[in-house]
Amino acid sequence: MYRVLLTGIHLMRSGEVESNIVRLNDDFRLPYLPELIDRKTSGPEKGLLDESDLAFHASEYERLTAILEQAMVESRLPEAASGGNALNDLLIRIRIKQQ
């Protein structure tokens, strides 16, 4: 959840895709994120949060979703991607080169 929301906020604000949660948190500085990352990387695959933690993270979800929505409103990114033809040409050249 945090990776998706922070990536979206960062994209809307900067126009750049960054999905590394550690690098994203360098900017967002969410103090609880390093512990969650550590739990995810060193704990059991499907570890559970305590009930009290769920309420906190639910409120953070709501807060960050509101920030993402505001960032989308303020974003200078175009409504639709404009590089479709160039991307298609690139893919064709790559495929032809591989044959």
Side-chain angles (χ1 to χ4, degrees):
M1 167 191 86
Y2 288 108
R3 180 187 319 277
V4 170
L5 290 170
L6 298 183
T7 296
I9 295 166
H10 180 80
L11 174 63
M12 291 294 121
R13 290 178 175 172
S14 70
E16 299 174 351
V17 175
E18 173 60 70
S19 61
N20 182 298
I21 192 81
V22 174
R23 284 197 292 262
L24 286 165
N25 203 39
D26 287 343
D27 291 333
F28 288 92
R29 300 184 191 281
L30 302 178
Y32 50 83
L33 212 48
E35 182 208 350
L36 285 176
I37 293 167
D38 184 55
R39 287 175 68 176
K40 174 73 176 169
T41 57
S42 64
E45 176 64 23
K46 297 189 186 241
L48 300 175
L49 294 171
D50 295 333
E51 193 67 34
S52 61
D53 290 338
L54 289 177
F56 171 76
H57 293 295
S59 70
E60 280 297 272
Y61 168 79
E62 296 296 330
R63 184 180 75 83
L64 291 170
T65 297
I67 292 171
L68 174 59
E69 290 170 353
Q70 185 62 39
M72 185 177 70
V73 168
E74 296 170 356
S75 178
R76 289 183 273 158
L77 292 174
E79 289 293 319
S82 61
N85 290 336
L87 179 59
N88 188 53
D89 291 343
L90 173 64
L91 290 173
I92 290 170
R93 287 194 313 269
I94 290 171
R95 288 178 182 155
I96 290 171
K97 194 174 188 178
Q98 291 177 352
Q99 294 179 357

